[in-house]
Amino acid sequence: MNQPSHGTTNQFVKLYKQETWLMLAGLIGFLLAGFCGIWVLLNGGPVAPDGDVSKAISFTAALGIFTISTAAILPVSGLRPRSKSIFRCCYIFLVLFSYFAETVQNFRGVNPRFVQNGSAFDVVIAISFSAVALLLLILYLIFGLQYFRKQAMKAHPELVLGIRYAMIAVLISFAAGIWISINAGRFTGIGGNIIWLHGLGFHALQAIPFVAWLSLRKSFNPAAKPILIHMSGIAYLLGLVAIGWQTLLGYSIAEWSLLPILAGSCFLIAFTPVIWLLRQTNASASALLSSHARNI
């Protein structure tokens, strides 16, 4: 039975080492989330008049995961070294500012996005935070388009196919973020919460490329690889559409109704290839161990 190419693995390791600084920027988010978590345990989340340190926990952790995921896929974007360096530097700056605005303002008792009776400094930070969010959207849109070029697809077909689906999901998340800003909050209707759509869309950046990466780790029928990736990507996107529709109607996704059940079913289908590929990998490892044992 064929095994994954060590040369290919070493090639990816070398590529990812180029993104050390972007990885570190993501890890800072986890450190801040941990610090804020300890603070909340000792002192509680709310900070008068409008701050809430507990919100900084989820924000910094989520942005950290997103930044690390971006670092993981950047090497296969097909960007030239100079363009990649420009993207990396700009992205790190925007991420660090976002960490600063979210944590410092909440600790000061100020809502970092929607300032009420704040100082001139608070207003400037809120306006800058909105501008940074817009720049992140534009920057990521340009970045995401790179994966729809033939050059990127030709170099890494399975990975890029998975990333394409993930980028569409990320755009849905950014749209949900704009919806939150226009709505001046995450809640809508009777029980709708836009944050679920916003967050789950970003997590596609880990979920779908992971399926593609697993398909590289196992030598099986090459024709099955794109089928599994398409299956995962389409199901994930349909799950997001169902959640978005339910939220647009103003209802909670926790309800036992058609759209939430449909969304749950789609996400289950999306993760089925992961379970199958992991089982195949375990079966391959067991067969390899048995073969070595017989040769001893």
Side-chain angles (χ1 to χ4, degrees):
M1 184 175 292
N2 296 329
Q3 296 301 316
S5 169
H6 292 293
T8 302
T9 302
N10 292 334
Q11 180 185 6
F12 281 124
V13 170
K14 290 179 181 179
L15 287 172
Y16 295 142
K17 284 183 178 179
Q18 300 174 11
E19 305 309 327
T20 301
W21 288 107
L22 199 55
M23 288 281 189
L24 289 174
L27 290 175
I28 289 173
F30 287 105
L31 291 175
L32 288 172
F35 175 78
C36 293
I38 294 172
W39 174 276
V40 170
L41 288 174
L42 297 176
N43 303 287
V47 179
D50 298 314
D52 190 344
V53 179
S54 63
K55 292 181 179 179
I57 299 174
S58 58
F59 178 87
T60 53
L63 185 55
I65 294 173
F66 187 69
T67 303
I68 291 174
S69 301
T70 300
I73 66 172
L74 181 56
V76 297
S77 64
L79 284 170
R80 294 180 179 179
R82 180 176 175 82
S83 298
K84 196 181 297 183
S85 178
I86 292 173
F87 172 82
R88 185 187 303 115
C89 293
C90 292
Y91 194 83
I92 289 173
F93 172 78
L94 295 174
V95 166
L96 293 179
F97 178 85
S98 299
Y99 288 152
F100 166 80
E102 185 72 24
T103 54
V104 171
Q105 290 299 82
N106 275 302
F107 270 108
R108 294 180 65 245
V110 179
N111 187 318
R113 297 171 187 79
F114 309 110
V115 177
Q116 295 181 354
N117 301 320
S119 65
F121 173 81
D122 299 328
V123 173
V124 169
I125 292 297
I127 294 174
S128 300
F129 206 0
S130 298
V132 164
L134 181 60
L135 287 173
L136 280 172
L137 169 59
I138 295 173
L139 193 63
Y140 224 83
L141 179 61
I142 296 172
F143 173 60
L145 288 174
Q146 306 308 309
Y147 295 97
F148 290 86
R149 297 170 59 195
K150 291 182 179 180
Q151 181 182 354
M153 188 68 174
K154 183 178 180 180
H156 307 282
E158 291 86 6
L159 284 175
V160 170
L161 179 60
I163 293 170
R164 286 180 175 182
Y165 280 108
M167 285 299 170
I168 296 172
V170 167
L171 288 180
I172 293 175
S173 281
F174 277 124
I178 295 172
W179 184 6
I180 291 174
S181 297
I182 295 174
N183 192 59
R186 64 180 66 181
F187 299 106
T188 181
I190 300 174
N193 190 342
I194 310 169
I195 203 67
W196 287 106
L197 179 64
H198 186 56
L200 286 171
F202 283 130
H203 283 304
L205 202 55
Q206 298 94 49
I208 308 175
F210 183 59
V211 174
W213 179 76
L214 283 176
S215 73
L216 295 177
R217 304 284 295 176
K218 179 66 186 170
S219 296
F220 59 98
N221 185 1
K225 295 181 180 182
I227 293 174
L228 290 174
I229 299 169
H230 281 302
M231 173 182 169
S232 182
I234 292 172
Y236 203 102
L237 292 179
L238 289 175
L240 290 179
V241 170
I243 287 178
W245 193 353
Q246 177 78 353
T247 305
L248 185 62
L249 294 175
Y251 299 119
S252 170
I253 64 170
E255 290 185 358
W256 284 97
S257 56
L258 176 61
L259 289 172
I261 293 174
L262 178 61
S265 300
C266 287
F267 287 126
L268 182 62
I269 294 172
F271 285 103
T272 299
V274 174
I275 299 171
W276 187 82
L277 287 167
L278 287 175
R279 289 185 63 183
Q280 291 295 313
T281 301
N282 290 335
S284 176
S286 298
L288 182 62
L289 288 173
S290 298
S291 176
H292 284 311
R294 287 193 298 269
N295 294 331
I296 295 176

